[in-house]
Amino acid sequence: EKLSCKIANWKRAQAQNRMEQIIGEYQNKIELVLSNNDEMALGAVDAYKKLNYTSAALPVFLGIDGTEIGMQA
């Protein structure tokens, strides 16, 4: 079930902000985060880190670029 769709203009900081909004609304119901680039996927991860979620509580994240920083994450 698709819970939400947000636009972050390929920007990591915007994606973090949008993900924080989504987490506030859906909390632990989020199982998967799909992003059209690695920067936005990393921004979504940053939102969870900022909110002190543990690794076990994270959803699956998917970016598509395969950038070096994305692959390391």
Side-chain angles (χ1 to χ4, degrees):
E1 176 183 349
K2 181 178 174 182
L3 299 177
S4 185
C5 179
K6 300 282 187 185
I7 296 171
N9 298 308
W10 318 108
K11 307 283 189 219
R12 185 171 182 164
Q14 284 185 29
Q16 178 180 344
N17 178 274
R18 303 305 184 274
M19 193 70 231
E20 288 173 14
Q21 294 170 357
I22 294 169
I23 294 167
E25 186 172 349
Y26 296 104
Q27 302 188 354
N28 294 329
K29 295 179 183 177
I30 302 165
E31 298 175 347
L32 174 66
V33 177
L34 301 172
S35 301
N36 283 338
N37 76 346
D38 289 350
E39 282 295 302
M40 291 189 296
L42 292 169
V45 171
D46 293 342
Y48 277 93
K49 287 181 180 178
K50 180 179 177 184
L51 296 171
N52 296 317
Y53 276 73
T54 64
S55 295
L58 296 178
V60 174
F61 297 92
L62 180 66
I64 64 165
D65 297 332
T67 61
E68 186 174 332
I69 192 167
M71 298 296 287
Q72 288 175 359

